[in-house]
Amino acid sequence: MGVSIRQVMVGLLMLATGLPAQAASSRFQDLQVEVIGQGRQVLMIPGLNSGMDSWRDTCLALQDIPLQCHLVQLPGFAGSAPLAGPVEAFVGPVGQQLQAYIREKMAPQPVIAGHSLGGNLGLRLALDQPDLVGPLLIVDSLPFFPAGGNPAATPATTTPMATAMRAQMLAIDEASYQLQAQSALVGMTKDAKRLDLLKQWGQQSDRATTAQAMYELMTDDLRPELARVRTPVRVLGAWEGYKPFGATEASTRQIFADQYASLPGVELAMAPEGLHFLMWDSPQWVEQQIRGLISAHP
């Protein structure tokens, strides 16, 4: 794919503001964090097997707000070292480290932006530490992923399947594992170069970390807790990837609305176009949503 006008504009903005395309990251416990810019602080959390670069272009395009982005690299993904010790839990320990980072390195109540698994982690931050975090942007993530395809799913029904999935992921040979992992990436983004990057990130991710994180997403249902959320939440949903299976924007919106029904004051917006990585496939729209969230909650 060629260079877009937007990419040129982002490049010019970097030159005008003196911002480097990539600043040095620092280690905080098992996290890697890169800080870009000055202004309203936002913690940007990527998804499963993803690198912090999934949020980089979004951060650079929003520097006029002005914004200070804290790009997070989650442990075990995209070449980063996994959590220390045996991988017996992922979401809980990572959530505690994110809480500690916010307390020690950020001003009170930063904006939280999370994609997929990152959205799930952001939602948990809002539940566990309601006074610690500010407005929350969730990109294409659900409080209970299995119910997106099967509304009758419960942790009791999904745990046996999740247990078998985790065991299978850990047992198969490396070639088979990588083939399955790369096949799962089809339909994640429209950008061929970005898809190649996702495949690279997947190859560099720790298999045990990936298996455990997927297990936890399949077995932990946050829906019963959503009524406790006090921070403003805006959820961005993608529907275009499900169109070949008969889904419409309206039917996909209903899935999101049902899952977030008990979250007080939740704002739900469906992307007009774009697959799972909406920050890449519908960048201006995502940036507009972030601007709106920050403007509504200065």
Side-chain angles (χ1 to χ4, degrees):
M1 298 181 68
V3 177
S4 67
I5 294 176
R6 180 178 176 278
Q7 288 171 314
V8 172
M9 293 303 294
V10 168
L12 291 174
L13 178 62
M14 287 159 48
L15 290 173
T17 58
L19 289 172
Q22 186 164 356
S25 63
S26 60
R27 192 166 186 84
F28 181 88
Q29 298 182 16
D30 294 307
L31 307 172
Q32 287 288 131
V33 184
E34 181 181 330
V35 180
I36 298 175
Q38 297 293 332
R40 181 72 181 273
Q41 292 185 331
V42 54
L43 185 72
M44 294 180 153
I45 312 172
L48 185 84
N49 282 6
S50 293
M52 63 170 67
D53 277 356
S54 58
W55 281 110
R56 186 176 302 279
D57 285 357
T58 308
C59 167
L60 294 173
L62 296 173
Q63 285 302 305
D64 62 299
I65 288 179
L67 208 67
Q68 183 182 79
C69 310
H70 293 243
L71 304 181
V72 176
Q73 179 59 63
L74 299 177
F77 299 146
S80 62
L83 289 166
V87 184
E88 297 176 348
F90 179 82
V91 171
V94 170
Q96 291 173 2
Q97 293 189 22
L98 290 170
Q99 293 174 28
Y101 180 83
I102 295 170
R103 287 195 187 93
E104 296 182 26
K105 302 294 185 178
M106 304 186 77
Q109 298 186 325
V111 177
I112 309 295
H115 173 245
S116 197
L117 169 61
N120 187 272
L121 287 165
L123 190 55
R124 291 168 190 270
L125 285 171
L127 285 166
D128 296 341
Q129 300 292 331
D131 297 324
L132 187 64
V133 302
L136 171 61
L137 181 87
I138 297 175
V139 180
D140 212 31
S141 182
L142 296 170
F144 188 47
F145 282 87
N150 176 16
T154 66
T157 62
T158 59
T159 295
M161 293 182 291
T163 301
M165 174 208 68
R166 180 176 57 182
Q168 192 263 352
M169 288 178 66
L170 295 175
I172 60 175
D173 63 88
E174 181 65 16
S176 298
Y177 173 77
Q178 291 297 341
L179 181 62
Q180 290 184 13
Q182 295 197 16
S183 297
L185 294 173
V186 176
M188 291 289 182
T189 178
K190 296 179 176 182
D191 189 324
K193 289 184 179 178
R194 302 279 198 180
L195 181 58
D196 288 341
L197 179 60
L198 290 179
K199 291 178 179 180
Q200 178 183 329
W201 284 347
Q203 291 172 348
Q204 295 172 339
S205 294
D206 176 65
R207 191 195 304 201
T209 301
T210 302
Q212 180 62 30
M214 290 182 64
Y215 170 84
E216 293 178 37
L217 288 176
M218 289 182 65
T219 57
D220 196 0
D221 186 356
L222 297 181
R223 292 174 298 176
E225 303 179 57
L226 295 182
R228 297 194 291 106
V229 174
R230 299 207 303 264
T231 192
V233 179
R234 182 172 295 191
V235 179
L236 310 184
W239 71 275
E240 189 178 0
Y242 307 108
K243 190 175 180 179
F245 306 100
T248 64
E249 181 177 351
S251 65
T252 310
R253 174 186 287 272
Q254 191 60 53
I255 291 172
F256 277 84
D258 290 344
Q259 288 230 355
Y260 285 100
S262 62
L263 200 161
V266 64
E267 299 175 346
L268 173 60
M270 300 301 295
E273 61 179 1
L275 305 181
H276 184 52
F277 279 80
L278 288 175
M279 306 91 72
W280 294 344
D281 289 353
S282 194
Q284 292 91 345
W285 182 80
V286 171
E287 291 153 17
Q288 179 185 26
Q289 294 296 324
I290 295 175
R291 290 179 188 277
L293 180 64
I294 292 175
S295 176
H297 305 283

